[in-house]
Every structure is written in structure tokens, then in C-alpha cells.
Amino acid sequence: MGENVINIKTGLAEMLKGGVIMDVVTAEQAKVAEDAGAVAVMALERVPSDIRKAGGVARMSPPELIEEIMAASSIPVMAKCRIGHFAEAQILQHIGVDYIDESEVLTPADEEYHINKHDFKVPFVCGAKNLGEALRRIGEGAALIRSKGEPGTGNIVEAVRHMRDINNDIKRVISADDAELMTMARDMGAPFELLRIVKREGRLPVPLFSAGGIATPADAALCMQLGADTVFVGSGIFKSDNPEKFAKAIVKATAHFDDPAIVLEASKELGGVAMRGTEISELDEPMKMANRGW
Amino acid sequence: MPEPVIGCLALQGCVDRHRPHIEAAGASFKAVKTAKQFDEIDAFILPGGESTTMLKLIENFDLWDILSQQFAAKPVWGICAGSILLAEIVENPAQKSFGVLPVTAIRNGYGRQLESEIIAVDGYDVSFIRAPILTKPASRVEILHTRNGEPTWIRDGKNMASTFHPELTFDFPSPMHSMFVEIVKKTATA
């Protein structure tokens, strides 16, 4: 197909805009997510906060668990593979998941190379902390970017940092003249041709979602106002007091992120307290997931 | 006559991609979420996205009856998820719908994302993304395109449905957007 149409992999991401993608670990949770209005679910063995607690090596979820969640869902199902673990990705594609997340939440399999995502028919989402990282992943074939945040912490500070960094980098690129672009490409480690597209379009060439620490309706509204097209909520829903109500309230706040009256309403419908959360400085360096990948 | 205003229901899904098509076809575009905004538009696009999500939000915000009245009075075009919401019957699984179009929609009729593809319809590239299949249209329904014998683009008087996305293509306007704007203009003068 010509250049004249958005790639079919990114096309699905366009359809997920304005929504909430929820981490689920069972088919029952997938039903709760779908009934609450999730646009997609992420099928996992453990949510990020439990991955932190469990320690050890975090790998792709068991295929039979992913298949069970797919059978229970009418909405798209995503699943995670380890950074650089293209054999796990091949399995996930063979299962038929709708999106693969090459994710820093799992223990990286390759510290040098990410997956060459052009080799796959299934679309990939990858995390990024700044524009250079986002464009490297897009260069490798990612169809969707999410800000990394710090998963499993219930602490929004890193997601905000990464959204702001990506936005600020984009502003710099827009105001740069053509001669400066190559130097920026060198400094950011970003593919030059993709930087030219960012300058021309004034935004990333694929949708930008937010992830990593979203725990309340207000967190979701904050990320959306910082320019996210959609939010991923991991531990924030099923580690809260009342997953059903939290899920519904976060969907509501995301749809009307720019209307404080509705975000207020959603914030009063939680039926319990949010996950406890973790201060980032309490994390040991190896457990800072955002620093995985490059 | 001033340009008609086409509203796109913006609770969730692919909204802004319609703007350049609608403007190139000679109408104004407005994203709408609330009952007050519905009164300011002449026609609706129900966009692509997740039909279950839109359904929950419509119910959560008590918009069901208001939208039913709006759809009775104004032209509406349902795209992919939007066509599911407009169908009379929904299968795989069954879910509530507005019943504006006399047709049955089978969700994810072609399968999952791996079966998504870009196909030319009347020489114009469009995207089928986890698309539904429309089947059993009433005899009065005008079939504008078929794939494997099942309709993918239909018209019933002032209303239209397509199971594919013309809005992801950068030739403005798409033939589908042009036709819808024509329908809206004719409905306004009728």
C-alpha cells in the first residue's frame, strides 16, 4: 500500500484513543475490565506491583493464560514480551494477540538490541522516556509509543516526567531550523528522517499513550491533559480497594479529562482507597524499570 | 445556505482524523460529547473505536434516549464500532444497539488484528481494523460495496454505515465523506 494511508498496525492504536487499557491477570478480571468500558486489556501473569514483590526473573505470561483471557474478551488483547526477546514475540504473534508490548516491566532479555518489529505482522507498543527513545523504537517498527513512567508504584511522578520530556523535545524540534536537525538527531540518538516528520507534523508519527503509575481518575486526567491519547492502568485498578468502581471511574475521567466537574464526580465514585503506592527514592536501582532498554 | 456542521461523537475512538475529510467535502467539523453540543450539529458520525466502551459511556452519562431522538431526526454515519451501535441486531457477543439501520452486525467478523488489512474500495484505500461483518440488510437498504458477498458500506435514506475506515487515508475528502456531506446537505433542504 502507498504512503497515503496510516499503517494498519498504527490504525488499531488510532481506534484505542481516548480510552483506558487495563492490566488483567485472569479471565474474570478481563470481564470486569470490559464491563467497565476498557478499550483493551493487557494479559499478564502478575501486575507490575506484584512483579516487584515477587522478584526473580519476570517473563512472558504462560500462553494458556493469555489464550483464556483472549477467549473471554471481545475487546483487543495485548500481551508483554521481554525487551529483545523476539522468540517470545513470535509465540505471542502465533497465539494471535492484537498488540505486543515489548516491555521494561519484564526482565530484559537483551541489553543491546530491541526487537526488529518490522519483522512482525502484529503491531508493537514500546515505552519511552524522551523523544529520542520514542523515535528509536518507531524506527525499529513500533506502531505505538507509551511514556514509561515507573510501573507498579502507583506514583505518577515518572509518567509526568516522561510526558513532559517528550513534549519538550517535540517543541524543540518544531522550533529548530533544518540545519539544526541533524545535530539534534545525533544528540538524541534519533533517526533523522523521523525527526523531520516530527518537525513537519508537530507531533510523534504514531499515537502517544501514558503508562506507569496511574492510580486515580485525577492521574488519568493529568496524563490526558499532558497530551496522552489514551492511558494504560496497571496495578492501579486491581490493586485498589474496589477494582470495579475504580475501573469505571477511570474510564469516565479519561473520556472527560478536560471537564473537572466530571473528573470530580468520578473521583467520588471510587468506593474505596487507591493502591498504597511507593516513593521512587525507596526503589533500589535495579528495580527502576524505566531505566531498562535504551 | 451556511455549511452544515457534522459532529463526531467523541466519547472514545478515532475522532480528529475526520476533520480534514469533512472540511474538504464542504462542511464544518465538531467533536461532541454532551447533550448541549448535540443541539449544535446537523449530523452525526459515530466513529471507529471500541463499541463496548462507547456503549458504557453512553449509558453512564444517560445519553441513550437523547441520542435516540437525535438519530431519528438527523443523518448519522456509523463507522466500524459506530456501525455496530447503529445496527438492529448485534452478535458475537450480543449487545445493546440503537437499531437505526435494519441490518445485523457480527463483531470482529473477520477475526483479530492479524486479519486487519487495507483494501481499495472504489479505487480508494480504506482500512478494515478488527472490522465487523454486516449481514441480513433489509431489502430497502442500498448496498454501496461488498466484500466476500457481505455489505461493507450501506445507505438507508439519511443514514449510512461502513465497516471500514476511510478517515485513516490522506486523500481529502474520501468518497465516503463526500457522500455523507451530500446526504446531509440534501436532508437539510428536503
Side-chain angles (χ1 to χ4, degrees):
Chain A
M1 281 304 143
E3 309 271 293
N4 225 5
V5 50
I6 291 174
N7 180 302
I8 197 77
K9 296 174 173 178
T10 297
L12 178 55
E14 292 281 335
M15 298 309 139
L16 301 177
K17 282 181 173 177
V20 182
I21 300 166
M22 302 183 192
D23 279 3
V24 298
V25 299
T26 62
E28 293 74 55
Q29 287 189 356
K31 284 313 283 180
V32 170
E34 185 169 332
D35 288 344
V39 286
V41 292
M42 178 73 71
L44 281 169
E45 191 177 18
R46 284 191 278 269
V47 295
S49 64
D50 285 338
I51 289 176
R52 289 183 182 284
K53 272 187 217 141
V57 174
R59 310 181 178 91
M60 178 187 84
S61 300
E64 53 273 34
L65 173 71
I66 298 168
E67 284 171 336
E68 207 181 299
I69 289 169
M70 285 167 66
S73 308
S74 74
I75 56 179
V77 175
M78 304 183 170
K80 290 185 195 290
C81 71
R82 284 177 266 179
I83 290 174
H85 206 314
F86 53 85
E88 283 185 349
Q90 288 162 356
I91 292 170
L92 292 175
Q93 172 163 279
H94 204 77
I95 292 173
V97 300
D98 297 293
Y99 242 95
I100 295 177
D101 185 0
E102 185 184 17
S103 177
E104 66 280 6
V105 165
L106 306 182
T107 311
D110 193 326
E111 294 186 334
E112 191 89 10
Y113 303 112
H114 285 249
I115 296 172
N116 177 25
K117 292 160 276 285
H118 293 292
D119 283 346
F120 289 78
K121 193 174 180 216
V122 64
F124 276 76
V125 51
C126 286
K129 300 187 294 293
N130 50 52
L131 182 62
E133 192 173 11
L135 295 181
R136 288 193 289 280
R137 297 295 84 77
I138 294 167
E140 293 157 357
L144 167 63
I145 293 295
R146 56 174 171 72
S147 61
K148 280 179 163 175
E150 196 50 53
T153 61
N155 188 338
I156 199 67
V157 67
E158 296 301 308
V160 168
R161 187 190 318 282
H162 300 155
M163 287 301 293
R164 286 205 182 275
D165 284 351
I166 292 170
N167 287 339
N168 288 338
D169 288 346
I170 291 173
K171 279 185 213 150
R172 280 173 50 217
V173 170
I174 294 169
S175 59
D177 66 43
D178 288 344
E180 290 173 275
L181 271 192
M182 187 58 86
T183 307
M184 281 187 160
R186 181 196 62 193
D187 294 346
M188 289 183 180
F192 176 69
E193 289 303 323
L194 290 177
L195 268 188
R196 289 182 64 188
I197 294 175
V198 171
K199 180 169 159 61
R200 194 179 67 221
E201 307 285 330
R203 51 160 300 144
L204 278 186
V206 302
L208 173 63
F209 293 4
S210 261
I214 296 167
T216 65
D219 288 346
L222 176 65
C223 289
M224 294 294 285
Q225 289 184 55
L226 286 172
D229 291 311
T230 275
V231 294
F232 283 89
V233 185
S235 318
I237 287 171
F238 289 97
K239 287 292 161 187
S240 71
D241 268 1
N242 193 328
E244 217 162 293
K245 288 194 172 167
F246 264 75
K248 274 190 193 147
I250 293 177
V251 168
K252 187 169 174 172
T254 303
H256 286 273
F257 66 88
D258 50 359
D259 184 342
I262 294 176
V263 179
L264 164 66
E265 218 176 272
S267 305
K268 288 157 90 177
E269 293 168 354
L270 298 175
V273 299
M275 67 183 285
R276 184 175 169 274
T278 311
E279 164 54 35
I280 302 297
S281 59
E282 291 169 20
L283 296 176
D284 293 336
E285 208 50 42
M287 287 313 283
K288 288 190 179 160
M289 293 171 171
N291 292 339
R292 297 168 171 177
W294 60 279
Chain B
M1 191 181 83
E3 278 190 349
V5 183
I6 311 245
C8 185
L9 189 66
L11 294 171
Q12 188 273 319
C14 184
V15 175
D16 290 336
R17 297 277 174 203
H18 290 286
R19 179 185 295 276
H21 288 281
I22 291 295
E23 290 176 353
S28 309
F29 177 86
K30 190 176 165 74
V32 293
K33 291 185 193 179
T34 62
K36 189 174 165 287
Q37 292 170 327
F38 300 162
D39 288 333
E40 296 162 5
I41 60 172
D42 301 302
F44 279 87
I45 291 176
L46 293 196
E50 281 305 316
S51 62
T52 50
T53 304
M54 293 183 209
L55 205 52
K56 300 294 168 194
L57 288 166
I58 287 168
E59 290 183 330
N60 199 325
F61 291 109
D62 291 325
L63 295 175
W64 187 271
D65 293 340
I66 296 163
L67 281 172
S68 293
Q69 289 160 16
Q70 290 278 333
F71 297 160
K74 296 173 184 175
V76 49
W77 171 19
I79 298 170
C80 192
S83 75
I84 295 169
L85 293 179
L86 292 184
E88 203 158 82
I89 297 167
V90 180
E91 295 175 356
N92 190 35
Q95 68 186 36
K96 199 172 167 184
S97 58
F98 285 100
V100 169
L101 285 165
V103 66
T104 295
I106 304 168
R107 291 185 60 205
N108 303 323
Y110 301 95
R112 310 188 71 96
Q113 172 64 11
L114 287 173
E115 270 61 59
S116 293
E117 54 185 328
I118 295 167
I119 288 174
V121 169
D122 294 354
Y124 190 88
D125 286 345
V126 299
S127 304
F128 286 81
I129 300 173
R130 287 173 49 96
I133 285 180
L134 298 180
T135 184
K136 299 180 209 152
S139 56
R140 69 163 197 262
V141 171
E142 193 182 341
I143 313 254
L144 301 167
H145 181 263
T146 62
R147 182 179 172 192
N148 309 329
E150 302 286 5
T152 61
W153 180 18
I154 61 173
R155 178 183 171 179
D156 178 31
K158 67 177 182 51
N159 301 320
M160 199 166 97
S162 65
T163 62
F164 53 78
H165 302 272
E167 74 276 14
L168 300 180
T169 307
F170 297 117
D171 273 331
F172 308 124
S174 80
M176 297 82 201
H177 287 87
S178 296
M179 177 178 281
F180 189 59
V181 169
E182 276 310 300
I183 291 172
V184 174
K185 286 181 174 168
K186 274 188 199 139
T187 308
T189 53

